[in-house]
Amino acid sequence: MNTTSTHFVPPRRVGMYEPLHQMGMWGESFKGNGSLNMPSPIIVPSNPKLDNLSEDTSHGTAGTPHKFDQEASTSRHTDKIQRRLAQNREAARKSRLRKKAYVQQLETSRLKLIQLEQELERARQQGFYVSGGVDTGSLGFSGNMNTAIAAFEMEYGHWVEEQNRQICELRAGLSGHVSDIELRILVDSVMKHYFELFRMKSSAAKSDVFYVMSGMWKTSAERFFLWIGGFRPSELLKVLLPHLDVLTEQQLLDVCNLRQSCQQAEDALSQGMEKLQHTLAESVAAGQLGEGSYIPQMNSAMERLEALVSFINQADHLRHETLQQMYRILTTRQAARGLLALGEYFQRLRALSSTWATRQRDATT
């Protein structure tokens, strides 16, 4: 019986030894790259029963707490959203009340302006103004200019109320240790509020530059420190610096450089103002005595007043840039403390004016 001898070739087990060979190659490459010399991995055969038991155990122990964590996180997120919505509704309600009061104040001011214009017209008819050839409308006596300044005063009153509210928010945010993101939102809002004041002043200066320059819209104590229709940036930096948190050496250097630049710009503007005052006085005093008409002098002086409006805008631009530079130098929390100190400084000046006025009234009575 002839039997054919055959050699038994075991079947190739795909996926078992090839990974070992491949892992060994990776280990050699790691050694070549200077990585840690990791030992060759040990492959343990897979047992379906043990795998199912492991999965069941993991689901039974870790699954439930993970679900509770998700539910708790969702609940906290929902509560946070509800609180934020409630705060937004309250802020919107207060804003509507302020807007309503502001509209009522504007209406009252409009009626007062109408009455004032009528009184001015009666005064002109009765000859209380010396005519002398002077166009009183060009010097700020016209009804339109009075209306513009009255509107500015109303807007500034609303601006001060909003500033007081923002100061309270900054104080609460710093004492409550809110996040830097929420604090940055407050800081940005306060910065924009100051920029809005500069815009209001620029518009009012076109109507009555002397009114803005003299600071009649501020309290008496604020006018004492007035410089070209506002605060002096370099002096303000001295006021704010002690209230800031500990500054780094680079921050101190940047603040010192900023203050020096502010002083140089202030000196240049002050010298220009002195020169403008001199030429304006010469323009008003020019001409012969007894001419009976001031038209030429007034026309020449009006040309100088356009430059005066430009000086106010340049001074406000310097104040604007100083606030911007401080915002870039400081951290968010330091900027919040600086703006809080700035707002409280103006509040104290207004309180000083009120206290002094009350003392004067008590002395007369």
Side-chain angles (χ1 to χ4, degrees):
M1 178 175 177
N2 293 331
T3 58
T4 304
S5 62
T6 61
H7 296 281
F8 176 74
V9 179
R12 183 183 180 185
R13 297 183 63 180
V14 179
M16 180 174 179
Y17 293 100
E18 287 185 353
L20 273 173
H21 177 66
Q22 190 174 7
M23 293 284 285
M25 294 176 62
W26 290 343
E28 293 297 328
S29 65
F30 286 157
K31 293 176 184 179
N33 293 334
S35 303
L36 293 176
N37 188 6
M38 301 294 292
S40 299
I42 300 175
I43 299 179
V44 179
S46 176
N47 191 334
K49 294 183 179 180
L50 293 177
D51 293 341
N52 294 334
L53 180 60
S54 175
E55 291 179 0
D56 294 341
T57 305
S58 63
H59 285 301
T61 57
T64 303
H66 181 64
K67 180 179 180 181
F68 288 160
D69 291 341
Q70 286 183 342
E71 292 178 353
S73 177
T74 304
S75 178
R76 287 194 299 269
H77 183 64
T78 303
D79 293 341
K80 185 176 181 180
I81 293 176
Q82 293 297 331
R83 288 196 301 270
R84 186 60 59 85
L85 291 176
Q87 292 175 357
N88 292 341
R89 286 193 296 269
E90 180 64 18
R93 186 184 68 84
K94 292 181 179 180
S95 178
R96 288 193 296 270
L97 291 177
R98 287 195 300 267
K99 182 178 180 180
K100 183 178 179 181
Y102 179 59
V103 172
Q104 291 177 349
Q105 290 176 350
L106 285 178
E107 181 63 22
T108 303
S109 177
R110 187 182 68 83
L111 296 176
K112 290 182 179 180
L113 285 173
I114 293 175
Q115 182 181 0
L116 179 61
E117 291 176 1
Q118 292 174 352
E119 292 177 357
L120 288 173
E121 185 62 28
R122 286 195 297 269
R124 291 189 184 97
Q125 293 176 359
Q126 293 174 7
F128 285 174
Y129 292 103
V130 180
S131 60
V134 180
D135 183 9
T136 58
S138 63
L139 297 179
F141 293 107
S142 66
N144 291 333
M145 289 188 177
N146 287 329
T147 303
I149 294 303
F152 169 76
E153 288 183 346
M154 296 298 298
E155 289 179 349
Y156 180 69
H158 181 65
W159 186 91
V160 171
E161 293 178 358
E162 179 65 17
Q163 184 194 38
N164 294 334
R165 185 189 66 81
Q166 291 180 344
I167 291 173
C168 292
E169 288 184 346
L170 279 176
R171 189 182 298 113
L174 288 171
S175 61
H177 303 290
V178 299
S179 65
D180 287 346
I181 296 177
E182 293 175 318
L183 206 57
R184 181 175 291 276
I185 293 175
L186 294 177
V187 169
D188 290 340
S189 178
V190 175
M191 293 282 288
K192 291 178 181 178
H193 195 55
Y194 278 106
F195 300 159
E196 175 64 16
L197 175 62
F198 301 150
R199 184 201 63 77
M200 290 162 48
K201 286 171 57 183
S202 178
S203 178
K206 296 176 182 178
S207 299
D208 192 342
V209 65
F210 294 117
Y211 173 85
V212 177
M213 181 64 70
S214 62
M216 294 304 296
W217 43 284
K218 287 181 169 289
T219 59
S220 56
E222 290 176 292
R223 290 198 299 270
F224 181 73
F225 297 98
L226 199 69
W227 176 77
I228 313 185
F231 59 83
R232 187 184 289 268
S234 62
E235 293 297 323
L236 201 63
L237 292 177
K238 276 198 300 187
V239 173
L240 300 184
L241 198 58
H243 298 283
L244 301 176
D245 291 333
V246 179
L247 301 178
T248 64
E249 294 183 0
Q250 184 61 45
Q251 286 178 322
L252 285 172
L253 179 61
D254 292 339
V255 171
C256 291
N257 291 336
L258 176 61
R259 184 181 171 191
Q260 184 178 3
S261 300
C262 288
Q263 289 176 339
Q264 294 175 355
E266 290 166 6
D267 292 341
L269 287 175
S270 298
Q271 292 175 5
M273 280 292 302
E274 292 177 1
K275 184 176 180 180
L276 177 62
Q277 288 175 338
H278 181 69
T279 56
L280 183 60
E282 288 182 343
S283 299
V284 173
Q288 300 295 325
L289 294 177
E291 288 180 340
S293 176
Y294 304 145
I295 297 297
Q297 291 83 358
M298 294 305 102
N299 290 337
S300 177
M302 288 296 293
E303 295 178 358
R304 305 295 191 277
L305 294 184
E306 294 293 334
L308 185 57
V309 175
S310 177
F311 271 103
I312 292 179
N313 292 334
Q314 291 181 49
D316 277 344
H317 179 71
L318 178 59
R319 287 182 271 264
H320 181 285
E321 288 299 312
T322 302
L323 290 175
Q324 285 278 44
Q325 290 297 327
M326 286 295 293
Y327 183 72
R328 296 189 184 100
I329 294 172
L330 302 177
T331 64
T332 301
R333 195 159 295 272
Q334 289 171 341
R337 289 183 61 86
L339 291 174
L340 177 60
L342 177 60
E344 289 188 350
Y345 174 71
F346 291 130
Q347 280 184 335
R348 293 171 184 176
L349 288 179
R350 290 192 284 266
L352 178 61
S353 300
S354 178
T355 304
W356 177 253
T358 303
R359 177 183 177 277
Q360 286 182 320
R361 288 194 297 267
D362 295 340
T364 56
T365 59

